[in-house]
Amino acid sequence: MQPLYWIRYLDPIESLMSPLLSELVKPKLQYPTVWYKQSAFRKIRYEGQKSTIISKTKDGHMFYSGFIPRILQIADGLKAKVVYEKPQKFLIPKKEMTFPEGITPRQFQLDLINQALEAERGVLKAPTGTGKTILGLFLINSIDNLEQVLWLCHTKDLLYQTAEEAVKFFGSNNIGIIGDGHRDTSKFLTIATRQSFKELADDLGTSYDMVIVDETHHISKFKSDYVEILQKVFAPIRIGLTATVSTDIEARLAMEALIGPVVGEFTINKGIEEGFMAEIKIKIIKIPKLQRIRELRRYPDVYEQGVVRRLDRNKLIMDLVKDYTAQGKSCLIVVNQIEHGNLLLSMARNMGLDTEFIQGATDADARVLAKIALDKSHIKSVIATTVWKEGISIPSLNVVINAGGGKSEIATLQSIGRGTRTTPEKTEVIIHDFFDQSHPFLLDHFGERFCLYMNNQWIK
């Protein structure tokens, strides 16, 4: 007799479940959506729920294989017995792990590696500053039966930084790069930007035993580059690395569908407790009210006048930089708009400060040189857009100034993470933020950031 509830694993991307099981778990495999329908006179807005079920066939309902743990957990909570034969284990762990000279994993990294080895697919969550790139390379190095591995990232900075670290583990002859004009597809470990690999996914999708997706919080929707790529890459071992997981339901489901759920986590406060992450000191500066900003209606106008072009606010930021650099401290000033960066750079030069501005148009060599110069204190301050919010390691960085504001938890944590590494000379990082009170939009954004600081007990 056919069981009522069953799952049949087909491949790393899609699996099949019984129609009755599909109806049982459907509410937990949906996300809110909005659509518009043209009436006789205007478009009408509708809200509803969109299912992640791929299709319904005569044999059962197709769904993303990454949802299997979620479905089993839901069914277990409802006391529904599911017949599911797990697929054979794909990976074979090395009996004895070896590491490059001078690189030894910490205990939390070993714990995360073991959790990933057990699950074979899923997301490892660890804060910026704990060395997620090294963690991923340790993981690859822990598996005995890999022939080809794909590592996906989303910026040129991450591309080259990952390749530089990977050479220490596997040697330059085993590392290939796809992106920024490179197209080397036949190495043991291929590191690729998603933008460049997307063009090759149809041809190369069956080449890999394992795929690692760096900064998985960039999987924001089911209709996205990463989802399109991961639907064509048939690697059974699928691991995501991130410091934060999106609070958006669709983003979380899309990440889980094509990679898997969070299978291991290490917190920033645990890293501080163990002494290898810098203690975070939040310093908030109150910006005076301006009535003319409060009278503005549109958010772009509020942001431009209240943040980007506000002269007294920008002067205060660069005065902070001047004071800290005079004390020998290095500063990273994070902005969200190029115009803001250019205004701060002009002000810095008028004040005689040796400052660089890194943005999307800055070529890869210049970015690397600026990072090295800041880390080695050859220059004391850098202004950067979001291109430096992720994946850039500057261990000696003393001060991060959030000049751009914003309300995104992910963006705020990424900015803070630039300075959370410790060195023999550094045990704390100072984070400057600004209480912009001239408009409800800015107050709301500051409130989001302040709650983040409070929830993590960084304000004392």
Side-chain angles (χ1 to χ4, degrees), residues 310-352:
R310 183 161 176 177
L311 185 62
D312 59 339
R313 188 181 188 275
N314 287 343
K315 180 66 163 56
L316 179 57
I317 290 168
M318 296 321 298
D319 282 341
L320 282 173
V321 175
K322 184 175 181 179
D323 290 343
Y324 280 122
T325 55
Q327 299 170 37
K329 296 182 184 295
S330 57
C331 299
L332 175 65
I333 306 98
V334 180
V335 297
N336 294 327
Q337 293 188 6
I338 292 173
E339 181 188 6
H340 198 188
N342 284 327
L343 289 169
L344 291 173
L345 180 64
S346 177
M347 187 175 286
R349 287 176 175 167
N350 288 336
M351 295 169 65

Coordinates of all heavy atoms in Angstrom, one line a residue, residues 310-352:
R310 N 24.6 67.5 3.6 CA 24.6 68.3 4.8 C 26.0 68.7 5.2 O 26.8 67.9 5.7 CB 23.8 67.6 5.9 CG 23.7 68.5 7.1 CD 22.6 68.1 8.1 NE 22.6 68.9 9.2 CZ 21.8 68.9 10.2 NH1 20.8 68.0 10.2 NH2 21.9 69.7 11.3
L311 N 26.3 70.0 5.1 CA 27.7 70.5 5.3 C 28.2 70.3 6.7 O 29.3 69.8 6.9 CB 27.8 71.9 4.9 CG 29.2 72.5 4.9 CD1 30.1 71.8 3.9 CD2 29.1 74.0 4.6
D312 N 27.4 70.7 7.7 CA 27.9 70.6 9.1 C 28.1 69.1 9.5 O 29.0 68.8 10.2 CB 26.9 71.3 10.1 CG 25.5 70.7 10.0 OD1 25.1 70.1 9.1 OD2 24.8 70.9 11.1
R313 N 27.2 68.2 9.0 CA 27.4 66.8 9.3 C 28.7 66.2 8.6 O 29.4 65.5 9.3 CB 26.2 66.0 8.7 CG 26.1 64.5 9.1 CD 24.8 63.9 8.5 NE 24.5 62.6 8.9 CZ 25.0 61.5 8.4 NH1 25.9 61.6 7.4 NH2 24.7 60.3 8.9
N314 N 28.9 66.6 7.4 CA 30.1 66.1 6.7 C 31.4 66.7 7.4 O 32.4 66.0 7.5 CB 30.1 66.5 5.2 CG 29.1 65.7 4.4 OD1 28.7 64.6 4.9 ND2 28.7 66.2 3.3
K315 N 31.3 68.0 7.8 CA 32.4 68.6 8.5 C 32.7 67.8 9.8 O 33.9 67.6 10.1 CB 32.1 70.0 8.8 CG 33.3 70.8 9.5 CD 34.5 70.9 8.6 CE 35.5 72.0 9.1 NZ 35.9 71.8 10.5
L316 N 31.7 67.5 10.5 CA 31.8 66.7 11.8 C 32.5 65.4 11.5 O 33.4 65.0 12.3 CB 30.5 66.5 12.4 CG 30.4 65.7 13.7 CD1 31.3 66.4 14.8 CD2 28.9 65.6 14.2
I317 N 32.1 64.7 10.4 CA 32.7 63.4 10.1 C 34.2 63.6 9.8 O 35.0 62.8 10.4 CB 32.0 62.8 8.9 CG1 30.6 62.3 9.2 CG2 32.8 61.6 8.3 CD1 29.7 62.0 8.1
M318 N 34.6 64.5 9.0 CA 36.0 64.7 8.7 C 36.8 65.2 9.8 O 38.0 64.9 9.9 CB 36.1 65.6 7.4 CG 35.5 65.0 6.2 SD 35.7 63.2 5.9 CE 37.5 63.0 5.8
D319 N 36.2 66.0 10.7 CA 36.9 66.4 12.0 C 37.2 65.2 12.8 O 38.3 65.1 13.5 CB 36.0 67.4 12.8 CG 36.1 68.8 12.2 OD1 37.0 69.1 11.4 OD2 35.1 69.6 12.5
L320 N 36.3 64.2 12.9 CA 36.5 63.0 13.6 C 37.7 62.2 13.0 O 38.6 61.8 13.7 CB 35.3 62.0 13.5 CG 34.1 62.3 14.5 CD1 33.0 61.4 14.1 CD2 34.5 62.1 15.9
V321 N 37.7 62.1 11.7 CA 38.8 61.5 11.0 C 40.1 62.2 11.3 O 41.2 61.5 11.6 CB 38.6 61.5 9.4 CG1 39.8 60.9 8.7 CG2 37.3 60.6 9.1
K322 N 40.1 63.5 11.3 CA 41.4 64.3 11.5 C 41.9 64.0 13.0 O 43.1 63.8 13.2 CB 41.1 65.8 11.4 CG 42.3 66.6 11.5 CD 42.0 68.1 11.3 CE 43.3 68.9 11.4 NZ 43.0 70.4 11.1
D323 N 40.9 64.0 13.9 CA 41.3 63.7 15.3 C 41.9 62.3 15.5 O 42.9 62.1 16.2 CB 40.1 63.9 16.3 CG 39.7 65.4 16.4 OD1 40.5 66.2 16.0 OD2 38.6 65.6 16.8
Y324 N 41.2 61.3 14.9 CA 41.7 59.9 15.1 C 43.0 59.7 14.4 O 43.9 59.0 14.9 CB 40.6 58.9 14.6 CG 39.5 58.7 15.5 CD1 38.1 59.0 15.2 CD2 39.7 58.2 16.8 CE1 37.1 58.7 16.0 CE2 38.7 58.0 17.7 CZ 37.4 58.2 17.3 OH 36.3 58.0 18.2
T325 N 43.1 60.2 13.2 CA 44.4 59.9 12.4 C 45.6 60.6 13.1 O 46.7 60.2 13.1 CB 44.3 60.4 11.0 OG1 43.8 61.7 10.9 CG2 43.3 59.5 10.2
A326 N 45.3 61.8 13.8 CA 46.3 62.5 14.5 C 46.8 61.6 15.7 O 48.0 61.7 16.1 CB 45.8 63.8 15.0
Q327 N 45.9 60.8 16.2 CA 46.3 59.8 17.3 C 46.9 58.6 16.8 O 47.3 57.7 17.6 CB 45.0 59.5 18.1 CG 44.3 60.6 18.7 CD 42.9 60.2 19.3 OE1 42.7 59.1 19.8 NE2 41.9 61.1 19.2
G328 N 47.1 58.5 15.4 CA 47.7 57.3 14.9 C 46.7 56.2 14.6 O 47.1 55.0 14.2
K329 N 45.4 56.4 14.7 CA 44.3 55.4 14.4 C 43.9 55.5 13.0 O 43.9 56.5 12.4 CB 43.1 55.7 15.3 CG 43.4 55.5 16.8 CD 42.1 55.7 17.6 CE 42.4 55.6 19.1 NZ 42.9 54.3 19.5
S330 N 43.6 54.3 12.4 CA 43.1 54.2 11.0 C 41.6 54.2 11.0 O 40.9 53.7 11.9 CB 43.6 53.0 10.4 OG 43.2 51.8 11.1
C331 N 41.0 54.9 9.9 CA 39.6 55.1 9.8 C 39.1 54.6 8.5 O 39.7 54.9 7.4 CB 39.2 56.6 10.0 SG 39.7 57.3 11.6
L332 N 37.9 54.0 8.5 CA 37.1 53.7 7.3 C 35.8 54.4 7.4 O 35.1 54.3 8.4 CB 36.9 52.2 7.2 CG 36.0 51.7 6.0 CD1 36.7 52.0 4.7 CD2 35.7 50.2 6.1
I333 N 35.5 55.3 6.4 CA 34.3 56.0 6.4 C 33.4 55.4 5.3 O 33.7 55.4 4.1 CB 34.6 57.5 6.0 CG1 35.6 58.1 7.0 CG2 33.3 58.3 6.1 CD1 37.0 58.1 6.4
V334 N 32.3 54.9 5.7 CA 31.4 54.1 4.8 C 30.3 55.0 4.3 O 29.5 55.7 5.2 CB 30.8 52.9 5.5 CG1 29.9 52.1 4.6 CG2 31.9 52.0 6.0
V335 N 30.1 55.1 3.0 CA 29.0 55.9 2.4 C 28.2 55.0 1.5 O 28.6 54.0 1.1 CB 29.6 57.1 1.6 CG1 30.3 58.1 2.5 CG2 30.5 56.6 0.5
N336 N 27.0 55.5 1.2 CA 26.1 54.7 0.3 C 26.0 55.3 -1.1 O 25.5 54.6 -2.0 CB 24.7 54.7 0.9 CG 24.6 53.9 2.2 OD1 25.4 53.0 2.4 ND2 23.8 54.4 3.1
Q337 N 26.5 56.5 -1.3 CA 26.4 57.2 -2.6 C 27.7 57.7 -3.0 O 28.5 58.3 -2.2 CB 25.3 58.3 -2.6 CG 23.9 57.8 -2.4 CD 22.9 58.9 -2.6 OE1 23.2 60.0 -2.9 NE2 21.6 58.5 -2.3
I338 N 28.0 57.7 -4.3 CA 29.3 58.2 -4.8 C 29.4 59.7 -4.6 O 30.5 60.2 -4.2 CB 29.4 57.8 -6.3 CG1 29.6 56.3 -6.5 CG2 30.6 58.6 -6.9 CD1 29.5 55.8 -7.9
E339 N 28.3 60.4 -4.7 CA 28.3 61.8 -4.5 C 28.8 62.2 -3.1 O 29.6 63.1 -2.9 CB 26.9 62.4 -4.8 CG 26.9 64.0 -4.6 CD 25.5 64.5 -4.6 OE1 24.5 63.8 -4.7 OE2 25.4 65.8 -4.6
H340 N 28.3 61.4 -2.1 CA 28.7 61.6 -0.7 C 30.2 61.4 -0.6 O 30.9 62.2 0.1 CB 27.9 60.7 0.2 CG 27.9 61.1 1.6 ND1 27.3 60.3 2.6 CD2 28.3 62.2 2.2 CE1 27.5 60.9 3.8 NE2 28.1 62.1 3.6
G341 N 30.7 60.3 -1.2 CA 32.1 60.0 -1.1 C 32.9 61.1 -1.7 O 34.0 61.5 -1.1
N342 N 32.5 61.6 -2.8 CA 33.3 62.7 -3.5 C 33.3 64.0 -2.6 O 34.3 64.7 -2.5 CB 32.7 63.0 -4.9 CG 33.1 61.9 -5.9 OD1 34.2 61.4 -5.8 ND2 32.2 61.7 -6.8
L343 N 32.1 64.3 -2.0 CA 32.1 65.5 -1.2 C 33.0 65.4 0.1 O 33.7 66.3 0.4 CB 30.6 65.7 -0.7 CG 29.6 66.2 -1.8 CD1 28.2 66.1 -1.2 CD2 30.0 67.6 -2.2
L344 N 33.0 64.2 0.7 CA 33.9 64.0 1.8 C 35.3 64.0 1.4 O 36.2 64.5 2.1 CB 33.5 62.6 2.5 CG 32.2 62.6 3.2 CD1 31.9 61.2 3.7 CD2 32.1 63.6 4.4
L345 N 35.6 63.4 0.2 CA 37.0 63.4 -0.3 C 37.5 64.8 -0.5 O 38.7 65.2 -0.1 CB 37.1 62.6 -1.5 CG 38.5 62.5 -2.2 CD1 39.4 61.7 -1.3 CD2 38.4 61.8 -3.6
S346 N 36.7 65.6 -1.1 CA 37.1 67.0 -1.4 C 37.3 67.8 -0.1 O 38.3 68.5 0.1 CB 36.0 67.7 -2.2 OG 36.3 69.1 -2.4
M347 N 36.5 67.5 0.9 CA 36.6 68.2 2.2 C 37.9 67.7 2.9 O 38.7 68.5 3.5 CB 35.4 67.9 3.1 CG 35.4 68.6 4.4 SD 33.8 68.3 5.3 CE 32.7 69.3 4.4
A348 N 38.2 66.4 2.8 CA 39.4 65.8 3.4 C 40.7 66.4 2.8 O 41.6 66.8 3.5 CB 39.4 64.3 3.2
R349 N 40.7 66.6 1.5 CA 41.8 67.2 0.8 C 42.0 68.6 1.2 O 43.2 69.1 1.4 CB 41.8 67.0 -0.7 CG 42.0 65.5 -1.0 CD 41.8 65.2 -2.5 NE 42.2 63.8 -2.8 CZ 42.0 63.2 -3.9 NH1 41.3 63.8 -4.9 NH2 42.3 61.9 -4.1
N350 N 40.9 69.4 1.4 CA 41.0 70.8 1.8 C 41.5 70.9 3.2 O 42.1 71.9 3.6 CB 39.6 71.4 1.7 CG 39.2 71.7 0.3 OD1 40.0 71.8 -0.6 ND2 37.9 71.8 0.0
M351 N 41.3 69.8 4.0 CA 41.8 69.8 5.4 C 43.2 69.2 5.5 O 43.8 69.1 6.6 CB 40.9 69.0 6.3 CG 39.5 69.6 6.4 SD 38.3 68.4 7.2 CE 39.0 68.2 8.8
G352 N 43.8 68.8 4.3 CA 45.1 68.3 4.3 C 45.2 66.8 4.8 O 46.3 66.3 5.1

